[in-house]
Amino acid sequence: MRGSRATVTDDTLAAMGPRLRAAREQHGATLTGVSRATGISPSTLSRIETGRRKPTLEVLLQLAKAYGVSLDELAGTAPAVAPRRSGNDKAVLPLTRYVGGLHAHKHVLPAVDAPPARPRQASHDGYEWLCVLYGRLWLALGTQDLVLNAGDVAEFDTRTPHGLANAGPGGPVEYLIMFGPQGERLRPRTLAAGWSDR
């Protein structure tokens, strides 16, 4: 029994580095920025993210607070969570329980009374796929402005500056996001006529 517990602990710690990197990138932070916020040196943060150093509980608590995630999320053991609300009253419902690798969220933007300003853009490592479920979503992607309606899908490299907003007066907007922090992409598969999926 003791051996199996050690294996679980080792596996959890081994996955912690990529999860911490994913949490940092999802937060849009650099190693230098996190170092300034936490007092942990960039070289230590880098060694933890690459698995060359095991993080202490104190370090994990600092990083979880800096990234706005729980220790359970970093360990991949978080239970289902309630929607989070951001400063612009957007609700975000995580659909996956872990940090790192491909993960999914459902977003709900509230209704607006007037045409919005162009969405504020950000860029970071990763790849994103989104699908509009309801309403009209404004995607500002680099110099392009796209209005997506229910059923529309977009995918893009998140190193391209991007921002999202409700496209205008009317109801709320609901959309799904799949995000790969290391640049993972979805792989569509289509079965040819007569093929079996087994």
Side-chain angles (χ1 to χ4, degrees), residues 26-45:
Q26 185 178 359
H27 197 66
T30 64
L31 289 173
T32 303
V34 175
S35 176
R36 279 198 294 264
T38 63
I40 304 166
S41 73
S43 61
T44 297
L45 291 168

Side-chain angles (χ1 to χ4, degrees), residues 12 16 19-20 55-65 68-79 97-99:
T12 300
M16 196 66 76
R19 290 185 197 282
L20 286 167
T56 64
L57 179 58
E58 180 182 356
V59 165
L60 288 175
L61 288 169
Q62 286 180 280
L63 294 177
K65 182 177 179 182
V69 299
S70 68
L71 289 178
D72 280 339
E73 286 176 281
L74 291 178
T77 59
R97 300 188 320 160
Y98 54 88
V99 176

Side-chain angles (χ1 to χ4, degrees), residues 109-130:
L109 296 174
V112 293
D113 297 326
R118 190 169 197 261
R120 185 177 62 83
Q121 294 181 304
S123 60
H124 49 86
D125 287 339
Y127 200 85
E128 189 165 299
W129 174 91
L130 66 84

Side-chain angles (χ1 to χ4, degrees), residues 117-163:
R118 190 169 197 261
R120 185 177 62 83
Q121 294 181 304
S123 60
H124 49 86
D125 287 339
Y127 200 85
E128 189 165 299
W129 174 91
L130 66 84
C131 175
V132 179
L133 302 175
Y134 177 84
R136 298 171 66 242
L137 181 68
W138 182 355
L139 169 60
L141 186 62
T143 58
Q144 293 183 309
D145 289 286
L146 306 166
V147 175
L148 307 174
N149 296 295
D152 288 343
V153 175
E155 60 177 312
F156 53 91
D157 187 321
T158 54
R159 289 174 295 185
T160 303
H162 57 282

